[in-house]
Amino acid sequence: PADVETLGRSTWTLLHTIAATYPTTPTVSEQSDLTNFMKLFSKLYPCWVCAEDFQQYIKKDEIRAASRQDFGLWLCGAHNEVNKKLGKPIFDCAKWEERWRTGWKD
Ligand code: FAD
């Protein structure tokens, strides 16, 4: 299996890209699909210690999927929680869409 770092980078790319392409006004069914996907993801993520902590995180800060911004910001906060745990810099969530959807201006 991929090492924890390679798996992590690829997975964050997938998850933030899902946020970037999620509708601005999702239907009720799109919202429940995304919420269910994230819950199953947190059980199946093949780094078991990571998955356990992520499931705990989802319990205290519930998945928000009401809109692209709502989910994008929630995911950014979840990623920052992992950054904090690993001693990595905290990402400015005001820039999540620039990083993952529209691209940096410079
Ligand atoms: P990554 O953290 O992989 O980030 C990739 C890119 O995303 C960054 O270069 C930056 O441009 C952008 N970014 C950074 N923060 C944010 C943010 N908050 N919002 C939006 N974009 C951002 N590793 C462990 O060792 N222990 C764990 O318990 C653990 N848990 C994890 C749980 C999950 C759900 C996932 C997906 C990964 C987990 N990882 C864990 C892996 C870890 O988060 C990193 O992916 C890995 O250490 C590689 O880090 P990196 O420095 O390349 O950047």
Side-chain angles (χ1 to χ4, degrees):
D3 64 82
V4 170
E5 291 216 334
T6 306
L7 176 69
R9 262 193 298 278
S10 314
T11 303
W12 287 123
T13 300
L14 172 65
L15 294 176
H16 290 295
T17 305
I18 288 174
T21 56
Y22 188 62
T24 49
T25 54
T27 62
V28 169
S29 129
E30 286 167 329
Q31 295 177 48
S32 76
D33 282 352
L34 183 58
T35 305
N36 289 333
F37 171 79
M38 289 306 297
K39 284 184 183 159
L40 288 170
F41 162 84
S42 77
K43 290 189 191 170
L44 297 170
Y45 190 59
C47 158
W48 315 121
V49 288
C50 307
E52 244 168 61
D53 284 0
F54 198 64
Q55 284 172 54
Q56 288 307 312
Y57 181 77
I58 286 176
K59 277 185 197 157
K60 67 179 161 76
D61 186 0
E62 276 185 39
I63 302 158
R64 295 196 306 272
S67 68
R68 178 186 298 160
Q69 271 308 315
D70 198 37
F71 181 65
L73 291 174
W74 179 84
L75 187 63
C76 183
H79 192 163
N80 271 337
E81 184 78 3
V82 179
N83 289 340
K84 196 162 49 170
K85 181 172 77 172
L86 300 179
K88 291 180 192 282
I90 297 303
F91 186 90
D92 176 3
C93 288
K95 297 195 168 131
W96 86 266
E97 223 176 344
E98 204 177 337
R99 169 67 177 85
W100 294 104
R101 196 176 77 86
T102 55
W104 303 106
K105 298 279 187 300
D106 60 16

